[in-house]
Each structure stands twice: as structure tokens, then as C-alpha cells.
Amino acid sequence: MQVLTGSEWRARAEAHAARVDDFVAPHLARRAEKVKHPVHDFLFTYYSQRPAQLRRWHPGFGVALEDAGDYAHLKGYAGDPVTVAPSFVESQLPLLRQLHTLLSATAGRAPQFGCFGLHEWAMVHRSADHGTRHDWPLRLGQEGTDAVVESHRIGCSHFDAFRFFTPSARPLNTLQPGRDDRPDFEQPGCLHAGMDLYKHAFRLSPMVSSDLVADCFELARDIRVLDMRAAPYDLADLGFEPVRIETAEGKAAYVEAQRGFAERGAPLRARLVAACERLLGVVPSPV
């Protein structure tokens, strides 16, 4: 058991808060002014981790904190010096097993780079009658957007993207991922699988270090920018140059960026798998 003094862990906690505040602070300022941002707000509106929770530093299981009264009342902590309790890890066994299965299956699958971000286009296919998910104009208009969807092969493997497809687009997807069969479909080239590493990391809090959560958050932040640059919306007024995936040049640019994110995500996914295995080993198997 590693024990950190008050001055040691407070320095780490302050550094963590400063690191994520580069993104959190502008979001909070926009929220106070009731201004929405279709790109940068996503990590705080789609995912359940609140800004205050992201700013809170956790050392992870196996590290104890001296002079840490503020942590004594937090979920999962116990003792003096305070640390994540083995009993809490035991209570999280279903989550740990679920995530280990999903992350291991995803890591063991070959990445696919032929989707070209068409999931966002399928979410607004023939949407003239019921509106789009974001209050921004479509770059090619409704007819042009529909034509792109209908002239491409749609192969979305991620249920949490597929479930937002419009009714007319769902049958066009060559895959039919479901809520309960994610390990059978998710693959490491998928942008949403990369962004979800952040979700998996914060769901493991406080059992894993906030350094890992922040690493996954930064990856998700960068992926979201590509996700929306390649989307059908016209976000030029926000300073986002489109990746024109309806062209050969745009497809090539998208695939290059997608490969880079898959490479960045691989070691983070491996760290999460290792964390799950370590935590699963904390609780003795029943005889």
C-alpha cells in the first residue's frame, strides 16, 4: 500500500484539476450564459460524468491518503489513512467483468476504417419532417445529405451511434448491433468506441487513477472534433473546417485521422483491461 502525505496528494489533485480545467472552465462559462456548443458540450451532456466529478482527483486502488477528511465521505473510500476499500471493489465485480469482456473483445478485433463517419449522416437521413439532432444547418442541404447516405455502404458497429439512426436509415446499415451484444460488434477503429474509453474509465472511478481518466478524456475530446468535422452539419461559423467525406480526398483525410485515434486508443484500452484484471484479482474467487 502506497501512502501519500497531504502535501503530496494535494499537489497531484491540483495538477489534475488544472489539466482538465482547460476544457471544463469554458464549458461551465457557456453553461452559465446558456450557450450551447454542438462539439465541446458533448462530453458533458452525452456522458454522465459531471464537470465537478471530472475535476476530482482519485489515486486509484492501492494508494492511501493522509489528512484526507474530504475523501472519507466519498463513495468507495474507508479507513485512516483513507483509501479505496476492498469491499467496494467487491461490490463492483459485475461492472469489472462486463467492462473486461467488452474491452478485451474490442482490443482483439481488427480495426475497421471504412465507415467514413457516416453514422452522423444516417442520424439525419430524411429528417426534414422531424428535425435534426443539432440546431445547425446541413452543409449539403437535406436532399444532398440524403443522397450521400443512400450512395454509400453504411457499416456502423456501435450500438450507441446506431440507435440514433433515423427510421429510414436503420435498414441501410449492414450491421444490426444491439444493446446487449456490444462485445460481438465493437472494434477499435470506431470513433465512438474510442470516445467511450472515457466513459469506461470514469465508471471505474475511484478504483482507477484519475490520470487514466484524464488521458481517456483528452482522447475523447479530440475524437469528438473529428466526429463533428466529418458530420453533415455546417459548423464553419464555429471555426470547424469540414472533412468532406463525400469526396475521395475527404475520405482519405478521415481514414488517416481515424487510424491515428485507433493508435492512441490502443494503449489506453490496454491500461483499462489491465486495471480490470488487477481489480478482479483483489477479490478471492469462491472455492
Side-chain angles (χ1 to χ4, degrees), residues 256-273:
E256 181 180 4
Q258 191 178 22
R259 287 183 183 277
F261 287 131
E263 291 172 1
R264 283 178 60 184
L268 296 177
R269 187 174 288 107
R271 287 165 64 187
L272 287 167
V273 169

Side-chain angles (χ1 to χ4, degrees), residues 24-186:
V24 171
H27 168 74
L28 294 177
R30 287 192 303 272
R31 191 172 72 180
E33 297 174 1
K34 298 183 179 180
V35 175
K36 295 182 179 180
H37 197 292
V39 181
H40 296 323
D41 287 344
F42 178 80
L43 298 185
F44 300 108
T45 56
Y46 179 76
Y47 294 117
S48 62
Q49 172 102 313
R50 297 188 299 274
Q53 293 173 310
L54 176 60
R55 294 186 80 254
R56 168 79 71 172
W57 177 79
H58 297 286
F61 180 78
V63 181
L65 308 177
E66 292 183 340
D67 187 26
D70 289 349
Y71 283 78
H73 70 281
L74 296 180
K75 183 178 180 180
Y77 284 91
D80 185 16
V82 69
T83 189
V84 175
S87 59
F88 177 76
V89 176
E90 184 174 7
S91 75
Q92 301 300 300
L93 284 179
L95 172 64
L96 289 167
R97 291 172 181 144
Q98 175 194 29
L99 291 185
H100 184 266
T101 297
L102 174 61
L103 291 164
S104 298
T106 305
R109 193 164 285 123
Q112 302 296 312
F113 300 113
C115 70
F116 307 123
L118 285 163
H119 56 277
E120 287 286 345
W121 296 69
M123 293 177 193
V124 296
H125 180 248
R126 299 188 183 179
S127 62
D129 294 335
H130 48 82
T132 59
R133 296 185 64 221
H134 299 287
D135 190 21
W136 287 87
L138 296 175
R139 182 167 54 80
L140 301 181
Q142 188 64 63
E143 290 187 7
T145 300
D146 293 346
V148 169
V149 174
E150 293 162 11
S151 63
H152 285 77
R153 175 186 176 275
I154 313 295
C156 181
S157 59
H158 197 278
F159 171 72
D160 283 322
F162 177 60
R163 68 189 176 99
F164 290 110
F165 281 25
T166 61
S168 58
R170 291 180 67 87
L172 302 178
N173 198 30
T174 58
L175 304 173
Q176 296 292 307
R179 186 182 303 276
D180 300 321
D181 56 11
R182 299 169 197 263
D184 296 329
F185 284 94
E186 292 199 13

